[in-house]
Amino acid sequence: MAGRRQGRGSWKSRKLGEKIAFSITSALIALVALACGLITYSETLDKPFLPTWDEIFGMAGMTDQPMDSRLQVDILDVGNADAILVRNQGVNLLIDAGENNDGDLVVQELRSRSISRLDYVIATHPDADHIGGMDVVVENMEIGTFLMSFMPEGATPTTKTYLDMLEALDSKGVAVTEAEPGQTYALGDARLDILGPVEPSEDTNNNSVVCKVTFGSQRFLFMGDAEKEEEDSLLASGADLRAEFIKLGHHGSNSSSQKEFLEAVSPTYAAITCGTGNSYGHPHTETLQTLEELQITYARSDLNGTVKLSSDGSSIAVATER
């Protein structure tokens, strides 16, 4: 039986379809090539936090080094508040837990990473934007060592937020260790050092726990809400403040992050925890100008969302949620 001849119309339709498919494929190839080019030269482009290949492969677990052996730092986006997760070799550290309504979010973030135990928890100071969600975290997580700074006699907080945290700790039988300079803890293959507060202060911000995590040659400094007075005490103490990364004190306020202090730290990267349209005006212009003057690359949670850092001990890869 003779085959049916293909009509001219169907031939034209097929050719048109082929042209459209070719155009779409070409456009996709061009976009992929552009993306690959941007990623390849990301370190030389003036585009803060543009992903690098190491970062992409590292976040996807495609490096020679298993992800569990890398140091992971997640600075969670909890608005104008702090909640920071540090992980290495299955050992977990949580620094602060956001505002009063952030507890469930922080627990959700922990569970999404398959975390049910926090080996270390640091409550940097008793302000609600740092310990507001801590009672919920304590109630839902197994806690190892709980560190916090003690306020001077007569200045102990009496806020409901603070009392809720203490009640949760007592209910779970979690002992509180006073954070003092010189304390050192093993965080997997990393080391956690407590640097401050150097001197007790009746000002909660200047009584913040300041800590540094060292992993290989890479160092990460977390300032709580420390202001210039505590920065001066740290400088005078002779502590080794050098770090490749710093979480700025007090949400980028001009009462913190003075030039002399940042020069002593000499970071490559910085992160600012601040909420969109916050009433405090964080981060302040003066702080941003100092960062730019010192050529410190920074991310802001109000603009970039959650900030994720990954280190193999010799370098740091930085990614942001947006």
Side-chain angles (χ1 to χ4, degrees), residues 218-298:
Q218 303 302 295
R219 296 152 295 187
F220 303 75
L221 185 62
F222 303 95
M223 295 298 298
D225 267 0
E227 298 185 312
K228 293 177 180 178
E229 292 80 3
E230 188 171 0
E231 291 177 355
D232 289 341
S233 294
L234 287 164
L235 289 170
S237 74
D240 184 1
L241 299 169
R242 293 172 298 170
E244 285 65 42
F245 168 84
I246 182 172
K247 197 290 296 185
L248 295 188
H250 203 192
H251 316 289
S253 167
N254 57 15
S255 62
S256 302
S257 306
Q258 57 190 315
K259 183 179 179 181
E260 179 185 7
F261 184 79
L262 289 179
E263 286 177 329
V265 177
S266 188
T268 301
Y269 305 108
I272 304 170
T273 52
C274 53
T276 304
N278 67 85
S279 60
Y280 305 99
H282 296 154
H284 291 155
T285 302
E286 299 93 322
T287 301
L288 298 181
Q289 289 175 340
T290 301
L291 292 172
E292 289 166 4
E293 180 181 347
L294 297 177
Q295 298 183 335
I296 300 170
T297 301
Y298 63 89

Side-chain angles (χ1 to χ4, degrees), residues 18-316:
E18 289 174 353
K19 288 182 178 181
I20 293 173
F22 178 79
S23 298
I24 292 174
T25 302
S26 299
L28 289 173
I29 291 173
L31 286 172
V32 170
L34 176 61
C36 290
L38 289 172
I39 294 169
T40 299
Y41 294 100
S42 61
E43 293 183 354
T44 61
L45 294 174
D46 186 21
K47 298 293 183 183
F49 299 102
L50 186 67
T52 64
W53 286 118
D54 285 343
E55 171 191 311
I56 291 171
F57 293 147
M59 294 300 178
M62 296 171 61
T63 62
D64 292 335
Q65 186 181 38
M67 287 297 285
D68 191 51
S69 68
R70 297 175 70 89
L71 182 78
Q72 307 289 329
V73 180
D74 295 344
I75 302 171
L76 304 178
D77 180 12
V78 285
N80 215 67
D82 275 23
I84 302 165
L85 177 64
V86 185
R87 299 170 285 160
N88 181 248
Q89 295 285 12
V91 181
N92 305 303
L93 160 67
L94 179 69
I95 305 173
D96 293 329
E99 265 284 5
N100 283 291
N101 59 350
D102 291 325
D104 289 335
L105 172 62
V106 174
V107 169
Q108 179 182 332
E109 291 286 349
L110 294 173
R111 286 177 173 163
S112 72
R113 294 163 175 78
S114 300
I115 295 173
S116 59
R117 172 182 168 84
L118 294 168
D119 301 274
Y120 303 101
V121 175
I122 296 176
T124 59
H125 62 296
D127 288 356
D129 58 331
H130 290 255
I131 65 162
M134 193 64 79
D135 57 334
V136 178
V137 171
V138 172
E139 290 165 358
N140 286 274
M141 291 284 151
E142 181 184 347
I143 306 291
T145 300
F146 190 97
L147 292 152
M148 61 182 285
S149 60
F150 289 3
M151 296 293 292
E153 187 175 351
T156 302
T158 58
T159 64
K160 185 178 185 304
T161 297
Y162 184 72
L163 296 177
D164 284 346
M165 179 184 73
L166 295 183
E167 183 178 339
L169 290 166
D170 183 62
S171 176
K172 291 291 291 286
V174 178
V176 177
T177 300
E178 182 176 7
E180 296 180 316
Q183 293 169 331
T184 299
Y185 300 92
L187 185 64
D189 289 335
R191 186 180 75 247
L192 168 65
D193 292 299
I194 305 299
L195 305 183
V198 178
E199 300 288 343
S201 173
E202 293 190 358
D203 178 84
T204 55
N205 286 346
N206 285 314
N207 212 50
S208 288
V209 177
V210 173
C211 65
K212 183 168 76 170
V213 173
T214 302
F215 183 61
S217 64
Q218 303 302 295
R219 296 152 295 187
F220 303 75
L221 185 62
F222 303 95
M223 295 298 298
D225 267 0
E227 298 185 312
K228 293 177 180 178
E229 292 80 3
E230 188 171 0
E231 291 177 355
D232 289 341
S233 294
L234 287 164
L235 289 170
S237 74
D240 184 1
L241 299 169
R242 293 172 298 170
E244 285 65 42
F245 168 84
I246 182 172
K247 197 290 296 185
L248 295 188
H250 203 192
H251 316 289
S253 167
N254 57 15
S255 62
S256 302
S257 306
Q258 57 190 315
K259 183 179 179 181
E260 179 185 7
F261 184 79
L262 289 179
E263 286 177 329
V265 177
S266 188
T268 301
Y269 305 108
I272 304 170
T273 52
C274 53
T276 304
N278 67 85
S279 60
Y280 305 99
H282 296 154
H284 291 155
T285 302
E286 299 93 322
T287 301
L288 298 181
Q289 289 175 340
T290 301
L291 292 172
E292 289 166 4
E293 180 181 347
L294 297 177
Q295 298 183 335
I296 300 170
T297 301
Y298 63 89
R300 303 166 42 166
S301 55
D302 61 337
L303 301 180
N304 305 115
T306 292
V307 180
K308 296 185 177 183
L309 300 98
S310 177
S311 175
D312 59 2
S314 60
S315 62
I316 299 174

